[in-house]
Amino acid sequence: MPTLNLGFLASHGGSNMQAIINACKSGQVDANPCVVISNNSDSQALHRAKNEGIPYYHISTATHADGVDDAMIEAFEKHNVDVIILAGYMKKLGDKVINRFKGKILNIHPALLPKYGGKGMYGKFVHEAVLMAGEKVSGPTVHIVDIVYDHGRILAQKEVPVYPDDNVDTLSARVLEQEHILYPETIQKIANGEIVL
Ligand code: GRF
């Protein structure tokens, strides 16, 4: 099987992206991180790309007012990307990009979808909702991106306990730790054909 070429979209820290890059470098994941795109010129994700020697682009409505989607598609195609990895990308992806890479775009969400997903459910809002509902378990979900927020086919999930004295910070840290394991594992299953996109 040819090596899977990965393209990343990230807005801020990019810790999931880094976990995947590390797993590729160690051989745990048989894939090539090829390009990183961020809407945020000062994102840690772009700094990480630079440190890793991975080509990176700042693409946003500020830089490409007349065509964010086209600019993204051009960059992903230039680097022969097979699968797009959303890693904390805070913008809604354009329909044009979703259609061009239909079924080949992954996202990680910090709760057990289909619960606690949808518009407005991101970052601390997700964990707040989980805590408010008194859930006993939470955990990340890797899913395919389609035109509806947090809606596409679920590929993998990992449960973590929610403790009575948890707050948003303790719960999000526990979930994020598992994200860093689940995302590379899932990409490897795609790379070895165990999961077919
Ligand atoms: C993670 O919590 C992920 O679930 C969500 O965005 C966050 C990204 O964190 N989609 P990082 O940028 O990978 O550190």
Side-chain angles (χ1 to χ4, degrees):
M1 232 187 247
T3 308
L4 206 60
N5 285 339
L6 306 178
F8 292 91
L9 279 170
S11 296
H12 296 296
S15 71
N16 275 287
M17 181 187 89
Q18 188 70 56
I20 295 163
I21 292 169
N22 293 348
C24 291
K25 291 203 306 193
S26 74
Q28 185 208 333
V29 171
D30 189 14
N32 265 332
C34 292
V35 61
V36 175
I37 296 175
S38 182
N39 59 306
N40 173 3
S41 63
D42 196 33
S43 61
Q44 186 63 20
L46 290 188
H47 292 294
R48 291 180 193 273
K50 191 174 179 187
N51 285 340
E52 296 290 345
I54 299 169
Y56 59 93
Y57 299 83
H58 171 216
I59 298 176
S60 71
T61 45
T63 61
H64 296 76
D66 52 348
V68 166
D69 285 14
D70 289 336
M72 266 185 195
I73 291 170
E74 192 184 326
F76 286 138
E77 285 180 344
K78 179 174 174 201
H79 295 280
N80 299 312
V81 165
D82 301 306
V83 174
I84 298 174
I85 308 295
L86 265 56
Y89 185 63
M90 301 307 287
K91 295 279 177 193
K92 184 148 175 30
L93 210 50
D95 289 0
K96 207 165 172 180
V97 179
I98 296 175
N99 287 327
R100 165 63 185 82
F101 290 93
K102 216 182 188 80
K104 310 277 185 192
I105 307 175
L106 310 187
N107 182 43
I108 191 156
H109 184 79
L112 298 170
L113 292 174
K115 283 173 143 185
Y116 309 108
K119 198 166 164 46
M121 274 293 177
Y122 61 90
K124 70 177 183 125
F125 300 111
V126 176
H127 302 295
E128 265 170 17
V130 169
L131 291 170
M132 284 289 290
E135 295 286 356
K136 300 280 183 290
V137 291
S138 189
T141 300
V142 177
H143 67 96
I144 291 178
V145 173
D146 63 17
I147 54 170
V148 181
Y149 273 116
D150 301 324
H151 167 267
R153 176 181 152 211
I154 291 173
L155 301 180
Q157 296 184 306
K158 206 165 187 124
E159 291 190 355
V160 306
V162 180
Y163 299 120
D165 60 350
D166 264 333
N167 56 43
V168 168
D169 291 338
T170 56
L171 179 57
S172 64
R174 193 175 308 120
V175 172
L176 188 65
E177 205 180 317
Q178 294 307 314
E179 291 181 30
H180 294 164
I181 298 168
L182 186 68
Y183 220 173
E185 265 179 16
T186 309
I187 294 167
Q188 176 54 16
K189 285 184 182 167
I190 294 165
N192 70 18
E194 221 176 297
I195 294 177
V196 178
L197 295 183

